[in-house]
Amino acid sequence: MVNDKARRSVIQFEDVSFEYPGAETESIHHISLDIKKGEFLVLTGGSGCGKTTLTRLINGLAEQFYEGTLKGRVTLLGRSISEYPLYEIGKKVGSIFQDPKSQFFASITEDEIAFGCENYGVPYEELDGRVSSAIKRINGDMLRGKEIYPMSSGEKQKIAVASVNAVDPEIYVFDEPSANLDMYSVEALKNLMGGLKAEGHTIIVAEHRLYYLTDLADRFLYMENGSIPVCSRTPC
Ligand SMILES: Nc1ncnc2c1ncn2[C@@H]1O[C@H](COP(=O)(O)OP(=O)(O)OP(=O)(O)O)[C@@H](O)[C@H]1O
Ligand SMILES: [Mg+2]
C-alpha cells in the first residue's frame, strides 16, 4: 500500500473536466486526483463511465489527439500536461490500448519492439540491449522473430508491453488489458504487471474485471458518469 504522504506525486488532476469535440456533455466532470510514484491504481466502473477518457488525460491523447476541451489542470511529473508535446509524453507514459493491434507499426516482433526506441532516437548500439531486456521482461523468448499478425491476443499484448518497456517510461497505462484474454493469459498479464510494479513503475489500469488485480492494486477508484463520487472535488 502506498501510504507515504511524502512520496512524489507523478500525476495530479485539479478539478479536471473534459468534453470531446461535438459532444453534448462532458465525459469527465470535476475530477481531482493525486497519483504517487510507484502507485498501482485501478479505475473501474460501468461501461461509458469515463475510464478510457481518464487514461487519455494521463497519456495526453484526450487533449492533443481527440482535441476536446480540457478544464482544470492535469500535471505530469511536475509540469502541466498541456505544455508537453505528445511525443514527449510518450517517453514518460507508456500506453497499452484495449486492442493492441491498433498500436503496432511493424510486422515482426523485434522490429515492433525496437520501433518506439528508434522513433525516440535511442542510439543504434543500445537498441539490441533494449529489445532483449524488453523480451526478457515479457518472458517472450518464444516470440522472437515471429510475425505479429497471427499471434494470439495474449501474445500481441505482450509485444505491446515489450514495445512500451523498451522505451522505458516511468508510468504505464493499461486500458482493459484483460478484455480479450483467456485465464492463462490473464495470469501472465498479472505476473508481468507485478514485475513492472516491483521495478517501481507507476501503473494505472482501467478495468471491468478486478479479480486478478486484488493483490497488485494499491487503490481502486470507482467511476460513475465521468466522476469519482466518493472523492468529489478534493484530491483522493
Ligand atoms: N472519441 C470520442 N468522441 C466522443 N465521445 C466519446 C469518445 N470516446 C468516448 N466518448 C464518450 O465519453 C464517455 C466516456 O467514455 P469512455 O470510453 O471513457 O468510458 P469507459 O468507462 O472507458 O467505457 P467502457 O467500459 O465501455 O470502455 C461516453 O459517453 C462515451 O460515449
Ligand atoms: Mg474504456
Side-chain angles (χ1 to χ4, degrees):
M1 185 82 184
V2 179
N3 276 330
D4 182 3
K5 287 206 170 129
R7 212 156 175 182
R8 179 163 71 97
S9 289
V10 289
I11 299 157
Q12 286 164 306
F13 280 53
E14 292 164 72
D15 199 16
V16 172
S17 300
F18 182 79
E19 187 171 322
Y20 287 99
E24 284 177 11
T25 54
E26 292 172 342
S27 293
I28 293 292
H29 310 286
H30 301 294
I31 287 188
S32 294
L33 180 60
D34 188 358
I35 305 175
K36 300 289 190 191
K37 180 173 167 52
E39 185 173 9
F40 194 117
L41 175 69
V42 179
L43 304 168
T44 191
S47 190
C49 70
K51 302 180 292 297
T52 295
T53 307
L54 195 67
T55 66
R56 288 175 182 159
L57 285 159
I58 294 170
N59 60 25
L61 291 178
E63 198 188 10
Q64 300 198 32
F65 180 78
Y66 291 95
E67 297 181 342
T69 307
L70 172 68
K71 290 186 197 150
R73 184 181 163 97
V74 180
T75 306
L76 171 67
L77 299 167
R79 204 173 133 199
S80 165
I81 201 153
S82 307
E83 292 170 11
Y84 286 92
L86 199 49
Y87 169 84
E88 285 294 324
I89 299 175
K91 286 194 214 168
K92 300 176 189 316
V93 182
S95 301
I96 293 93
F97 299 114
Q98 190 167 353
D99 175 10
K101 281 202 298 293
S102 66
Q103 65 191 100
F104 294 142
F105 295 91
S107 53
I108 302 292
T109 50
E110 281 100 328
D111 296 344
E112 177 58 36
I113 296 168
F115 183 86
C117 294
E118 287 170 330
N119 229 9
Y120 284 122
V122 170
Y124 185 73
E125 316 80 73
E126 269 187 46
L127 272 182
D128 268 359
R130 290 229 192 180
V131 170
S132 292
S133 104
I135 289 176
K136 196 166 161 212
R137 160 56 53 234
I138 61 165
N139 205 10
D141 267 337
M142 305 282 286
L143 303 177
R144 274 186 179 274
K146 295 254 171 81
E147 286 241 17
I148 300 173
Y149 180 72
M151 284 182 173
S152 70
S153 298
E155 290 170 333
K156 283 183 180 136
Q157 186 182 65
K158 281 185 172 182
I159 298 302
V161 174
S163 309
V164 166
N165 186 252
V167 173
D168 195 25
E170 178 168 344
I171 299 159
Y172 281 69
V173 170
F174 290 84
D175 191 7
E176 294 213 30
S178 79
N180 303 310
L181 303 185
D182 60 32
M183 58 185 281
Y184 299 105
S185 300
V186 172
E187 195 56 30
L189 171 66
K190 178 181 169 182
N191 291 334
L192 185 47
M193 287 174 158
L196 294 172
K197 180 176 176 171
E199 285 168 10
H201 292 288
T202 306
I203 303 174
I204 295 111
V205 187
E207 259 297 11
H208 285 281
R209 282 195 205 171
L210 302 179
Y211 73 91
Y212 75 97
L213 296 170
T214 47
D215 297 340
L216 291 171
D218 295 305
R219 185 158 53 133
F220 289 90
L221 287 180
Y222 181 76
M223 296 185 68
E224 226 174 69
N225 296 321
S227 305
I228 303 172
V230 287
C231 296
S232 91
R233 293 186 188 210
T234 51
C236 43

